[in-house]
Structures are given as structure tokens and as C-alpha cells.
Amino acid sequence: MNTISGHTFFLLVWCGLAVITFAVLLRISAPYGRHRRRGWGPGLPNRIGWIMMELPALGAFAYFFLTGNTPKTAASWLFFGCWVLHYTYRSLIFPWRLPAGRKRMPLLIAGMAILFNSVNGYLNGTSIGSLLPAYPSGWFFHPAFLTGFALFATGLGLNWQADNLLLHLRHTNPDGYGIPHGGLFDLIACPNYFAEIIEWLGFAVMTLSPAAFAFLLWTAANLIPRALVHRRWYSQHFDNYPPERRAIFPGIL
Ligand code: NDP
């Protein structure tokens, strides 16, 4: 098996695992945040957990992109920049914005996320860094790039906006939860998850990299079930939760 077909085989297995994960998460909610519960082993502080979980995605992508032998072009550097921007925020800035309280997450969840992020960083860094041909100089005018970049930028902006609104709620109400308002929260329970999916859809479309589509599948597999369970949780805990709000896709789901 040569490198390309080995990579393709691994990608297919990886996509199969995403589908299985989706089915499992529809039945068992990941036990962190408001869904944390007993029976999932020892925990670690939330903030440390987030840093440990997300840094491998940054490190693995950077390593495999930078050491890959495909010539680097303006487009591939831009994709590198998009990845680094997202993961610098997620692994270093977002955790420091969480309250330094007593909240913990199970070590098991952090371990699974480290594996997931390492593999995604490896697959995406290798694809753009060494497996796919170099992006041509005209790539910035390609409809896939124009559409994908617009989606990525919109998703990133909406994700940061939703995170800001939630973190504001978290800081004003350190021991409990409130009903979020503003931005897409007036339409859906989880705009942060919706935006994350839009962002990685954009990345996949602008790179046309199979590994990026696999990452999109994984993101949806993780976040759609979690949004459904968040939405159910809100209506169970707040009598006045607006019933018209969907879970993740405005007007649809
Ligand atoms: P949540 O929406 O569950 O929580 C985000 C933060 O906001 C937490 O600090 C949470 O507190 C707080 N919060 C949420 N809702 C409320 C509320 N109603 N009242 C007060 N505080 C609230 O998001 P996640 O922690 O699951 O995810 C964080 C980010 O990571 C998101 O932007 C998500 O898109 C991204 N992510 C991406 C994944 C991927 O596969 N690409 C997978 C998982 C996450 P508390 O912790 O106390 O609940």
C-alpha cells in the first residue's frame, strides 16, 4: 500500500468511526459541562483539560504541514493561518477566559479528545503539507476558495460571538445557568456549535481536502447530538425557555 492509498484507507476508517460516534452520542451525552455526572472516573480542572485537549490539534497540524514536502504557496499558508488562528484561540485563549472555579471534566473525556485532535491535526497537516498537490497561484479566484473562505470567516466570527455571550453568562452567574439571548441564540440553543460546523464546512470547501471533509463529519458527529441534548436540557430546566428555538440549525433541527 503506498502512502496515498494508506492515507485514504485511514481516512475511510476514520469517517466510519465518526458515524459510530454520532450514533453513540445520540444515546450517551459526553459527560462534561452541564452533563457531567458520576461514574466517569477521575477528573481534572476544566481549564487544564481544554488546553491539553486542543493543543495537540495545533501542534500536529503545524508539524506535519511545516515538515511536508509539497511546495508551500500563498493559499496553503493561508490555510495554515486559518487553522492556527482557530486553534490558538481554542487551546490558549478560550481556556483562560473560563472562570478559574472548581469545575472539572473527566480525564477520560480529555484523553479521548486528545486522541481525536491529534489524529485530525495529523490528517489535515499531512494532506495540505505533503499529499495534495500545491495550490496554484490562481486558487484565490476559484469559486471553491471564495465560497469556503466566506463560510470559514462567517463561522469563526459567529463562534466567537456565541462563546462571548456564553462566557459573559457564565461569569455573571458563576454557579448556575441562564437562558442566553442575542445573536443566533434567539433562533437556536447552540449557535457556538452551528458556527463551528459552518467554519469547518468552509475549511473543507476552500481546501477541497478529503481530510478536511472528514474533520467536518467528525465535528457534526460530536456537536449535533450535543446540541440536541443541550436543547432538551434547557426545556427541562427553564419553564420559560422559548419553545420555538431549535437545537442547532435555524428553523430545521
Ligand atoms: P458549551 O456551550 O456547553 O459551554 C461553553 C461555555 O459556556 C462553558 O463555560 C459553559 O459552562 C458556559 N455556558 C454554556 N451555556 C451556558 C448557560 N446557559 N449559562 C451559563 N453558562 C453557560 O460548549 P462546549 O464546552 O461543549 O464547547 C466549547 C467550544 O468548543 C464551542 O465553541 C464548541 O463549538 C467547541 N467544540 C468543538 C468540538 C469539535 O468537534 N470541533 C467539540 C466540542 C466543542 P459549563 O462548562 O459550566 O457548562
Side-chain angles (χ1 to χ4, degrees):
M1 209 183 283
N2 65 29
T3 319
I4 295 277
S5 65
H7 182 86
T8 305
F9 177 73
F10 187 28
L11 262 185
L12 290 173
V13 172
W14 189 236
C15 289
L17 277 175
V19 174
I20 294 169
T21 301
F22 177 72
V24 170
L25 289 176
L26 283 175
R27 292 172 161 269
I28 305 169
S29 61
Y32 74 91
R34 77 195 67 181
H35 308 295
R36 182 155 194 236
R37 50 203 185 270
R38 290 175 185 281
W40 289 86
L44 79 167
N46 243 359
R47 185 181 275 178
I48 307 287
W50 274 100
I51 297 171
M52 280 173 48
M53 290 191 302
E54 304 294 320
L55 263 185
L58 185 59
F61 185 95
Y63 177 80
F64 289 104
F65 173 79
L66 294 172
T67 58
N69 50 18
T70 299
K72 308 291 182 282
T73 62
S76 58
W77 281 117
L78 180 80
F79 302 147
F80 174 72
C82 289
W83 190 279
V84 169
L85 179 65
H86 174 91
Y87 276 106
T88 301
Y89 166 74
R90 183 62 69 216
S91 62
L92 299 174
I93 299 171
F94 175 74
W96 288 107
R97 299 185 66 206
L98 294 172
R102 289 163 298 154
K103 280 227 161 180
R104 297 169 77 80
M105 69 168 70
L107 204 51
L108 181 69
I109 290 292
M112 283 160 57
I114 289 170
L115 179 70
F116 161 70
N117 281 321
S118 304
V119 174
N120 270 318
Y122 157 74
L123 287 171
N124 281 282
T126 312
S127 286
I128 298 178
S130 48
L131 295 179
L132 294 173
Y135 291 92
S137 54
W139 192 250
F140 291 133
F141 304 101
H142 193 289
F145 174 81
L146 294 169
T147 312
F149 187 72
L151 286 169
F152 181 86
T154 306
L156 187 76
L158 289 174
N159 182 259
W160 287 0
Q161 180 197 43
D163 273 2
N164 280 341
L165 290 166
L166 287 177
L167 290 174
H168 179 69
L169 255 186
R170 171 50 59 247
H171 285 279
T172 51
N173 189 7
D175 297 319
Y177 291 88
I179 299 180
H181 292 281
L184 290 180
F185 280 107
D186 296 330
L187 298 176
I188 48 178
C190 302
N192 48 345
Y193 297 167
F194 169 71
E196 183 104 13
I197 291 173
I198 297 297
E199 202 181 332
W200 294 114
L201 170 66
F203 191 80
V205 171
M206 73 177 160
T207 58
L208 292 183
S209 155
F213 281 98
F215 182 33
L216 170 66
L217 183 68
W218 264 101
T219 300
N222 279 326
L223 297 182
I224 292 173
R226 194 161 181 82
L228 293 172
V229 84
H230 269 23
R231 174 65 184 82
R232 208 174 311 132
W233 183 95
Y234 276 120
S235 40
Q236 285 164 353
H237 287 79
F238 294 96
D239 290 339
N240 56 341
Y241 191 77
E244 68 282 3
R245 285 192 195 179
R246 300 300 176 113
I248 185 162
F249 298 118
I252 301 171
L253 182 71

